[in-house]
Amino acid sequence: MDTCRVPANTSKCSGNTMECFMVLSTQAQKISIGILCGLFGTMCVFENSLVLYLIFSSPGIRKKPSYLFIGSLALADILASITFVCSFVNFHVFNDTDVSKEVFLLQLGGVNTSFSASLSSLLLTALDRYISISRPSEYKLLMTRKRAWTALAVLWVTCATIACLPLLGWNCCVLDSACSELFPFVDDNYQSGWVCFVMVLLGCIVYAYAHVLWRARQHVAYMEKHQAQVGKQNTRMRMDVMLAKTLVMVLAVLMLCWSPVLVLMIYSIFGRLSDRLRKVFAFCSTLCLLNSMVNPIIYALRSKELSSSLRRVFSHFRKQLKVTEESPEAESTHKSSVIET
């Protein structure tokens, strides 16, 4: 088992760095974590898979850069839920210590890549709405599908590179530096850098949405003042306002779910966490899954295009189910008439 310098308050773990971070001490805590991860993870995969299907099965929707970014968000949430649940449950519930340092850091890199890509996708979506509302006449020229795909490629490569730095050598075992109190083998300075990266992303998102909300309120006031002038321009304004409000709801949920985790990570940088706070961090981590699970629900409730596509899918499914249920009866009736003849 790989060992390296562990935090002072975990030195009682006899040098086994993996066991030092297994903070769930009772069976009830492990069962609770397992249930939360299983429930949130399953719902997250199902809901976000449905969002991806709705986007890429509708030619009119998948051509819009806004929904390409939402599709990237859904994909990131799917990957985050799978990688997080598998590694988190395996570590905290089943207490698997057989994995090597490299395998553990690879799993952690996958989780960080997915969650970073989810947050970065929200940033691209916010910038897309920012351009759409601040420069509507130039939007189609500035935000093309080619540029959207390029931005997504840069996003995923950047997130993967940053997340894999511990695996590539920036870890406390290779550097013989102080380890994080929250993650095995992770260097304290890397954790500080990753928190700063997340805070910068959140700051940019908040700034973009603040401007979007300000312009959206201006649009609402304009439409109320010129209700007689109903046309494509006003319809487009209503769509911008609707989508802006939807994405602000997504951001509010994001902040609510991620704030406890980020606060504890920042606190661990400047001070020492007690065992109780480390247990709190483990449970708060499941809120990230909750955020990924709630996002598709917001889309379904707020996006008219996605909700309309969802109704069409359900309508088609009901028709197919009805035909399937009627087919055996029709066949049975036909056979009966043949026998009687």
Side-chain angles (χ1 to χ4, degrees), residues 22-41:
M22 296 175 179
V23 295
L24 303 183
S25 55
T26 66
Q27 196 67 21
Q29 293 173 353
K30 294 180 181 181
I31 293 175
S32 299
I33 284 287
I35 292 175
L36 289 175
C37 288
L39 177 62
F40 292 164

Side-chain angles (χ1 to χ4, degrees), residues 86-191:
C86 292
S87 59
F88 196 78
V89 170
N90 191 49
F91 184 80
H92 282 292
V93 177
F94 297 109
N95 299 139
D96 184 11
T97 59
D98 293 333
V99 296
S100 65
K101 177 190 69 176
E102 290 74 18
V103 172
F104 181 86
L105 291 177
L106 179 62
Q107 294 174 348
L108 184 63
V111 174
N112 286 345
T113 298
S114 303
F115 280 127
S116 299
S118 176
L119 190 59
S120 300
S121 297
L122 276 177
L123 175 58
L124 287 183
T125 310
L127 294 177
D128 174 73
R129 289 299 90 200
Y130 177 90
I131 296 173
S132 175
I133 290 183
S134 62
R135 305 174 70 176
S137 60
E138 305 174 40
Y139 174 76
K140 289 187 177 180
L141 294 175
L142 295 173
M143 190 57 67
T144 61
R145 294 184 76 248
K146 182 178 180 180
R147 289 181 177 178
W149 281 111
T150 301
L152 288 175
V154 172
L155 176 159
W156 281 90
V157 171
T158 302
C159 291
T161 301
I162 294 175
C164 289
L165 287 177
L167 181 62
L168 298 175
W170 191 355
N171 60 73
C172 55
C173 296
V174 173
L175 300 178
D176 193 27
S177 56
C179 293
S180 166
E181 289 189 74
L182 297 173
F183 306 101
F185 313 120
V186 173
D187 180 72
D188 238 354
N189 292 325
Y190 172 80
Q191 180 179 313

Side-chain angles (χ1 to χ4, degrees), residues 20-21 25 29-30 39 61 63 67 74 78 86 95 142 150 153 170 208 217 234 246 254 258 264 271 304 311:
C20 293
F21 296 88
S25 55
Q29 293 173 353
K30 294 180 181 181
L39 177 62
I61 294 179
K63 291 180 180 179
Y67 289 101
I78 291 173
C86 292
N95 299 139
L142 295 173
T150 301
W170 191 355
R217 291 191 65 179
N234 278 353
T246 298
L254 177 77
W258 274 85
L264 288 173
K304 289 185 177 180
R311 285 194 295 270

